[in-house]
């Protein structure tokens, strides 16, 4: 059974930093993608960043480029999202998701992912 466990959300002031973690388990494919998504109140869920296990390639949505960094620790099967210079508009519930086996890349659409974490709240105060 594929499982994703997220952690690391919280409350931070504008300009602060948070690091989200997504521990994945339950499969043995060598190539898969992990995406980070977010959903603010009253808005559609949007893809923020994604990373591919095979070659460590990474992509970001324009609004977070230069501020967010996605990375992975393959030994721990964990993907991280380091978020710096946070803004109030980054406030949302953040989800990680896994596309396994890999079928499309890069992948920023939520229908490209079959497995989801429970979500973690990130609140940035002004």
């Amino acid at each position: 059974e594929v499982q994703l466990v997220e952690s690391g959300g919280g409350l931070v002031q504008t300009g602060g930093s948070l690091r989200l973690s997504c521990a994945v388990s339950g499969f043995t494919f060598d190539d898969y993608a992990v995406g980070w998504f977010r959903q603010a109140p009253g808005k559609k869920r949007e893809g923020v960043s994604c990373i591919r296990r095979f070659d460590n390639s990474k992509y970001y949505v324009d609004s977070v480029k230069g501020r967010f960094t996605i990375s992975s620790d393959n030994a721990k099967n964990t993907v991280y999202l380091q978020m710096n210079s946070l803004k109030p508009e980054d406030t949302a519930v953040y989800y990680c998701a896994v596309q396994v086996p890999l079928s499309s890349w890069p992948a920023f659409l939520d229908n490209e992912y079959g497995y989801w974490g429970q979500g973690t709240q990130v609140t940035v105060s002004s």
Side-chain angles (χ1 to χ4, degrees):
E1 179 186 3
V2 178
Q3 292 187 326
L4 295 85
V5 179
E6 302 174 33
S7 60
L11 172 65
V12 66
Q13 293 185 331
T14 296
S17 298
L18 285 172
R19 188 177 79 159
L20 306 182
S21 299
C22 176
V24 301
S25 62
F27 60 92
T28 58
F29 288 90
D30 291 335
D31 197 13
Y32 58 88
V34 174
W36 283 100
F37 291 76
R38 64 186 180 187
Q39 187 167 24
K43 295 189 176 181
K44 291 179 61 176
R45 188 160 56 187
E46 67 166 345
V48 174
S49 182
C50 53
I51 187 168
R52 182 175 177 178
R53 170 66 175 86
F54 175 73
D55 58 5
N56 211 39
S57 54
K58 309 169 185 180
Y59 289 86
Y60 301 91
V61 69
D62 285 347
S63 60
V64 307
K65 284 181 180 177
R67 299 189 300 122
F68 290 12
T69 302
I70 192 170
S71 62
S72 67
D73 183 334
N74 293 329
K76 296 182 178 179
N77 292 325
T78 300
V79 173
Y80 304 96
L81 186 68
Q82 177 67 44
M83 305 185 295
N84 299 329
S85 302
L86 282 161
K87 306 174 182 180
E89 51 264 43
D90 295 318
T91 295
V93 177
Y94 283 71
Y95 300 89
C96 66
V98 166
Q99 183 193 140
V100 59
L102 192 78
S103 60
S104 62
W105 181 253
F108 275 99
L109 301 178
D110 52 10
N111 63 10
E112 295 178 294
Y113 292 83
Y115 304 93
W116 292 81
Q118 78 280 7
T120 185
Q121 177 70 46
V122 171
T123 303
V124 185
S125 62
S126 56

